[in-house]
Amino acid sequence: MPQAGIETRVAGLPLDGRAAAPESHFDRQLARLLKHAAHIFCEKGYEGASMRDLSRASGMSLAGLYHYFESKEELLYLIQKHAFQTIMDQARERLAGSADPEERVRIFIENHLEYFLANKEAMSVLTHEDETLRNGRRGEIRAIKREYYRICFDLLEDLRRARGLEFSGRLAVLSLFGMINWIYTWHNPRVDAGAKQLAEQMGDIFLGGLMNQGNHKRNKRVKA
Amino acid sequence: MPQAGIETRVAGLPLDGRAAAPESHFDRQLARLLKHAAHIFCEKGYEGASMRDLSRASGMSLAGLYHYFESKEELLYLIQKHAFQTIMDQARERLAGSADPEERVRIFIENHLEYFLANKEAMSVLTHEDETLRNGRRGEIRAIKREYYRICFDLLEDLRRARGLEFSGRLAVLSLFGMINWIYTWHNPRVDAGAKQLAEQMGDIFLGGLMNQGNHKRNKRVKA
DNA sequence: ATACTTACCGAACGAACGTTCGCTAAACTC
DNA sequence: GAGTTTAGCGAACGTTCGTTCGGTAAGTAT
């Protein structure tokens, strides 16, 4: 009997380019398959991609793939979970280095864009296939998403309190996520700036907007 | 022989809720099918949706559907083309009513959000299935997209000139589109504000950010 | 040397897919 | 009222899909 149960082995941290090198043959192979799968899902979409595509791209037989995971859906789940977990851990780590509310928001933005552009395929799959998983696996990913959202929300609330601003936290978070997630539809490394510069410019737009509440004309200011 | 050639009849403007009432039986039925199809594509994604789903939802036989369009892909094309064409025509019409650069940007944002929320399913399909069409049909939709993008870009350039601002037009357009397109992933009419209020708040964030260039600390201002 | 586990593979299964064929009946045209 | 077009259907075609079955051959443990 093969391994790869419901938990697909406690999953040492595979893939990710610069992550801690996976130790066993199993982990190394799984990481390789996940990378190919992320590429294919990114290109053709989850539903449009086939296990035969993955077989062809990875050079492993169709049946052999199932030694490493139990279904196509678990494949998507593993890609999304790893990407989300990693970007969040990295955000927490970097945020620990600053106490200034504005700077912390900028750190969050920069971390998001940096990880996104360095892991474009996995992050595109995470972003685009947001409604694809079902039941338990969907729930697990949504829980991580809420956690990540919460981190950002709290950062903005801190800023709001520190500067005595008035804005809807929910709308601010979702506007910000819109700006920074949308890059997967347009970013071209040959013409667009890198993560650091994009983070600064988007940070300027977003934070400038939030903090510039003594606006211009119009604005029958709606209260909260 | 049925009709419905490559152009699927010159297509009087069907569907859209409040659009001019379609005249013929053919147009009325096609509009009804497009509405059901938009709903299904929105829920299950283009690849995940089947013609049998549409048959079930519309009450028409599987074979009967092909009297109204030639393929599943054309179905997607018709949904996207109509939505894009309509939102753009409506934007042009509303923009004709103002000459003030800032107000014109706000009109663009409000029009986009209003049409989006009033035609959520078609607009979600337009936004989410951006890479799905192939060849000629893909090219046609991309051409409309470039046109729409161009309108927004020019609005921002006008504002930039009028106020003597410095920012990357491309990044500004794409950040704005990120903010306003992202709503399809989160907007819930039971908890979130309507289009007018969202447009005002997003307009405040975005325009406040662009026009607040004499920022705060940091910013080793990168030049243009 | 033997037993067990790991790491695969070729072939197939049943279901679902988009599309087409051949047909009917009603609705207009002249 | 004969002829043509429009609107639609049941049944099937050929393909592709995710997954599984039954096997092999190389490690690893004892």
Side-chain angles (χ1 to χ4, degrees):
Chain A
M1 196 211 288
Q3 41 181 237
I6 256 180
E7 270 296 319
T8 300
R9 230 190 211 183
V10 189
L13 341 167
L15 93 145
D16 196 31
R18 236 103 334 262
E23 52 290 336
S24 69
H25 174 76
F26 183 91
D27 289 343
R28 245 177 300 120
Q29 280 285 67
L30 177 55
R32 195 175 67 87
L33 292 176
L34 290 180
K35 211 157 192 92
H36 282 297
H39 178 71
I40 294 164
F41 286 166
C42 183
E43 225 176 38
K44 319 178 71 161
Y46 174 79
E47 299 285 357
S50 77
M51 298 304 283
R52 284 162 181 86
D53 291 333
L54 179 56
S55 166
R56 204 172 310 116
S58 64
M60 186 175 291
S61 76
L62 189 56
L65 297 175
Y66 286 85
H67 182 61
Y68 291 96
F69 44 82
E70 61 175 19
S71 68
K72 187 186 180 188
E73 203 200 0
E74 193 192 20
L75 203 47
L76 177 60
Y77 165 79
L78 290 173
I79 293 168
Q80 296 195 333
K81 176 161 172 170
H82 179 266
F84 232 148
Q85 207 77 264
T86 310
I87 198 177
M88 186 155 60
D89 290 352
Q90 200 176 284
R92 285 211 170 97
E93 203 178 304
R94 295 193 188 184
L95 284 170
S98 168
D100 176 67
E102 180 182 339
E103 190 176 57
R104 283 165 63 82
V105 174
R106 288 190 182 269
I107 288 172
F108 183 85
I109 296 172
E110 184 174 310
N111 181 72
H112 190 90
L113 292 176
E114 227 161 63
Y115 189 82
F116 210 127
L117 295 184
N119 302 80
K120 210 175 174 186
E121 292 177 338
M123 286 302 290
S124 293
V125 170
L126 175 60
T127 305
H128 198 74
E129 306 292 350
D130 182 45
E131 306 248 270
T132 306
L133 292 176
R134 312 267 83 145
N135 308 323
R137 285 194 266 254
R138 184 201 196 95
E140 269 196 68
I141 301 298
R142 292 197 103 85
I144 306 180
K145 185 179 171 179
R146 267 194 300 277
E147 229 184 307
Y148 192 61
Y149 173 100
R150 186 28 102 129
I151 291 176
C152 185
F153 185 86
D154 288 346
L155 289 178
L156 295 180
E157 286 294 300
D158 287 348
L159 179 69
R160 199 166 66 85
R161 232 170 290 124
R163 308 286 171 107
L165 303 171
E166 270 188 20
F167 57 80
S168 154
R170 174 171 161 83
L171 187 78
V173 174
L174 294 166
S175 295
L176 177 57
F177 274 126
M179 283 179 54
I180 64 185
N181 281 336
W182 197 244
I183 47 159
Y184 89 92
T185 69
W186 57 267
H187 189 269
N188 178 349
R190 280 200 297 276
V191 333
D192 292 303
K196 276 203 158 60
Q197 204 181 126
L198 288 179
E200 191 185 326
Q201 295 178 262
M202 288 191 180
D204 286 350
I205 293 178
F206 179 72
L207 289 167
L210 280 193
M211 313 205 304
N212 186 28
Q213 290 297 65
N215 244 337
H216 317 257
K217 47 180 169 178
R218 69 164 51 229
N219 288 347
K220 345 76 176 174
R221 188 88 4 251
V222 186
K223 173 66 186 111
Chain B
M1 198 211 286
Q3 39 181 241
I6 256 179
E7 269 295 319
T8 303
R9 232 191 209 181
V10 189
L13 341 166
L15 93 145
D16 196 30
R18 236 109 325 270
E23 53 291 337
S24 69
H25 173 77
F26 183 91
D27 289 342
R28 245 178 300 121
Q29 282 283 69
L30 177 56
R32 197 175 67 86
L33 292 176
L34 291 179
K35 210 158 192 89
H36 283 296
H39 178 71
I40 293 164
F41 287 166
C42 182
E43 226 176 36
K44 320 177 71 162
Y46 173 78
E47 298 285 359
S50 77
M51 299 304 281
R52 283 160 181 89
D53 290 335
L54 179 56
S55 167
R56 205 173 310 117
S58 65
M60 185 174 290
S61 75
L62 189 55
L65 297 175
Y66 286 85
H67 181 61
Y68 291 96
F69 42 82
E70 60 174 21
S71 67
K72 187 186 179 188
E73 204 199 0
E74 193 192 22
L75 203 47
L76 177 60
Y77 165 78
L78 290 173
I79 292 168
Q80 296 195 335
K81 175 161 173 170
H82 179 266
F84 231 147
Q85 207 75 264
T86 311
I87 198 176
M88 186 155 59
D89 291 351
Q90 200 176 283
R92 285 211 170 95
E93 204 178 303
R94 294 193 188 184
L95 284 170
S98 168
D100 176 68
E102 180 182 340
E103 191 176 56
R104 283 166 63 82
V105 175
R106 288 189 181 270
I107 288 172
F108 182 85
I109 295 173
E110 184 175 311
N111 181 71
H112 190 90
L113 292 175
E114 227 161 63
Y115 188 83
F116 211 128
L117 295 183
N119 302 81
K120 210 174 173 186
E121 291 175 339
M123 286 302 291
S124 293
V125 170
L126 175 60
T127 305
H128 198 75
E129 306 293 349
D130 182 44
E131 306 249 270
T132 306
L133 292 176
R134 312 267 81 142
N135 308 324
R137 285 194 267 255
R138 184 202 195 94
E140 269 196 65
I141 300 299
R142 293 196 101 86
I144 306 179
K145 185 177 170 181
R146 267 194 300 276
E147 228 183 307
Y148 192 60
Y149 172 100
R150 187 29 101 133
I151 292 175
C152 185
F153 185 87
D154 289 345
L155 289 178
L156 295 180
E157 286 293 302
D158 287 348
L159 180 68
R160 200 165 66 85
R161 231 170 292 121
R163 307 287 170 106
L165 303 172
E166 269 189 19
F167 56 81
S168 154
R170 173 170 162 84
L171 186 77
V173 174
L174 294 166
S175 295
L176 177 57
F177 274 128
M179 282 180 54
I180 64 186
N181 281 335
W182 196 245
I183 47 160
Y184 89 92
T185 69
W186 57 267
H187 188 268
N188 177 350
R190 281 201 296 276
V191 334
D192 292 304
K196 277 204 159 59
Q197 205 181 125
L198 289 179
E200 191 186 325
Q201 295 179 263
M202 287 190 182
D204 286 350
I205 293 179
F206 179 71
L207 289 167
L210 279 194
M211 311 206 309
N212 185 31
Q213 290 297 65
N215 243 337
H216 316 257
K217 48 178 168 179
R218 68 166 51 228
N219 289 348
K220 344 82 179 178
R221 185 99 350 258
V222 185
K223 172 71 182 100

